């Protein structure tokens, strides 16, 4: 069974076919279309079966939003560099700021989900409780956007389990871990140190899915510097899209 669409295997869709960026901007090197059939996992921190990145490729991802000031600053930084990211949104946050989530979609970013309330699904007593967290998150994010979202999911705390992975697979939802964890919540108001830390990890690995949080003020401040540094060091942004859409279940 094909887990990654042909577009990714052949290098993706050239950015020129999507939008015009200037040579001075970071831009998007290519767009990869992910076939989520069976719930494949990506991100070598946990899932080592599939990889669509070449050396110097990065994927920008943001968890836990949206939030009024910080997500807007993240969007502004991405727009300034003509580049794209994937946002793993929390259901509660999505319903609180639907206009921001709609703006994320309008600007061409990909929206996945991150549960209803950022719950640790390993600590749920029953499978039904974990399923409810997943599905309520999907429904809330979809409702906020006003359209089906991508079948992309990231576990809060990256805390997966055999049971939850099986459930996501049954829903044909791809799971994303990470290759470079920014730990941006640890840096507070020290954006230069955050950029130095992320680039140091990335330079060692050479490529990867970068995990950040659009609710962190330090991340919002650091992102313009980080994107400039990625450009300066010859890294290329790969934008992820899904081959299909994720529809919410009626009972949720």
């Amino acid at each position: 069974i094909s887990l990654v669409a042909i577009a990714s295997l052949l290098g993706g869709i050239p950015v020129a076919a999507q939008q015009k960026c200037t040579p001075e901007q970071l831009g998007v090197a290519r767009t990869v279309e992910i076939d989520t059939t069976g719930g494949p996992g990506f991100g070598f921190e946990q899932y080592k079966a599939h990889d669509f990145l070449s050396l110097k490729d990065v994927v920008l991802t943001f968890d836990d939003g949206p939030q009024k000031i910080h997500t807007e600053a993240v969007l502004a930084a991405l727009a300034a560099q003509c580049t794209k990211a994937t946002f793993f949104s929390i259901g509660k946050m999505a319903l609180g700021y639907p206009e921001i989530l709609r703006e994320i979609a309008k600007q061409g970013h990909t929206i996945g989900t991150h549960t209803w309330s950022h719950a640790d699904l390993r600590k749920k007593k029953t499978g039904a409780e974990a399923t409810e967290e997943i599905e309520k998150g999907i429904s809330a994010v979809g409702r906020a956007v006003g359209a089906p979202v991508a079948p992309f999911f990231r576990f809060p705390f990256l805390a997966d389990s055999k049971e939850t992975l099986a459930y996501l697979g049954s829903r044909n939802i791809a799971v994303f871990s990470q290759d470079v964890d920014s730990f941006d919540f640890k840096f507070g108001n020290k954006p230069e140190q955050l950029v130095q830390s992320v680039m140091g990890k990335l330079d060692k690995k050479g490529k990867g899915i970068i995990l950040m949080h659009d609710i962190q003020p330090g991340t919002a401040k650091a992102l313009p510097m980080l994107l400039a540094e990625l450009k300066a060091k010859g890294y290329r942004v790969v934008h992820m899209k899904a081959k299909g859409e994720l529809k919410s279940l009626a009972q949720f």
Side-chain angles (χ1 to χ4, degrees):
I1 185 168
S2 173
L3 294 177
V4 182
I6 297 298
S8 69
L9 300 179
L10 298 180
I13 304 167
V15 69
Q18 307 161 57
Q19 67 179 113
K20 292 182 180 179
C21 302
T22 68
E24 291 75 27
Q25 292 172 306
L26 179 59
V28 175
R30 60 192 174 97
T31 296
V32 171
E33 189 178 67
I34 307 289
D35 184 343
T36 64
T37 303
F42 299 91
F44 272 48
E45 177 71 17
Q46 292 167 282
Y47 314 114
K48 298 177 171 62
H50 310 294
D51 185 16
F52 53 83
L53 298 179
S54 302
L55 190 64
K56 289 283 190 175
D57 282 350
V58 297
V59 175
L60 305 172
T61 69
F62 297 90
D63 292 3
D64 293 0
Q67 194 171 70
K68 179 63 179 170
I69 297 172
H70 309 318
T71 301
E72 289 174 338
V74 165
L75 285 175
L78 294 170
Q81 285 287 352
C82 197
T83 196
K84 304 298 179 191
T86 297
F87 290 80
F88 293 96
S89 299
I90 293 173
K92 279 185 174 181
M93 301 294 283
L95 292 183
Y97 296 103
E99 70 284 357
I100 298 178
L101 212 54
R102 287 193 292 269
E103 184 61 29
I104 291 172
K106 181 181 177 182
Q107 292 188 22
H109 303 289
T110 297
I111 299 174
T113 61
H114 197 46
T115 71
W116 163 251
S117 67
H118 203 271
D120 185 339
L121 299 187
R122 286 181 184 168
K123 295 182 179 179
K124 292 297 180 182
K125 293 181 180 179
T126 67
E129 290 177 334
T131 297
E132 183 177 2
E133 268 286 334
I134 293 169
E135 294 293 349
K136 281 180 67 178
I138 292 169
S139 293
V141 173
R143 185 177 300 170
V145 176
V149 296
F152 291 173
F153 181 82
R154 181 176 272 151
F155 284 93
F157 314 103
L158 303 180
D160 64 3
S161 68
K162 185 177 179 180
E163 293 75 20
T164 50
L165 286 170
Y167 179 76
L168 292 165
S170 74
R171 288 277 275 128
N172 295 319
I173 299 172
V175 179
F176 292 87
S177 182
Q178 49 84 15
D179 301 298
V180 176
D181 193 337
S182 69
F183 288 107
D184 48 4
F185 52 88
K186 292 185 176 181
F187 287 89
N189 195 25
K190 298 176 181 177
E192 294 86 357
Q193 292 184 20
L194 173 56
V195 172
Q196 184 178 13
S197 175
V198 170
M199 293 305 301
K201 294 175 183 178
L202 186 57
D203 287 342
K204 287 181 181 179
K205 296 196 174 183
K207 63 177 185 177
I209 298 170
I210 304 174
L211 190 164
M212 295 173 279
H213 300 83
D214 56 313
I215 64 167
Q216 293 294 327
T219 303
K221 291 181 180 178
L223 192 58
M225 287 184 283
L226 177 61
L227 297 178
E229 193 69 8
L230 289 171
K231 173 69 175 176
K233 291 200 170 184
Y235 285 96
R236 301 176 299 268
V237 172
V238 175
H239 183 208
M240 303 188 303
K241 288 190 174 181
K243 193 174 182 179
E245 295 178 336
L246 177 59
K247 294 183 179 180
S248 59
L249 300 180
Q251 60 268 42
F252 295 100

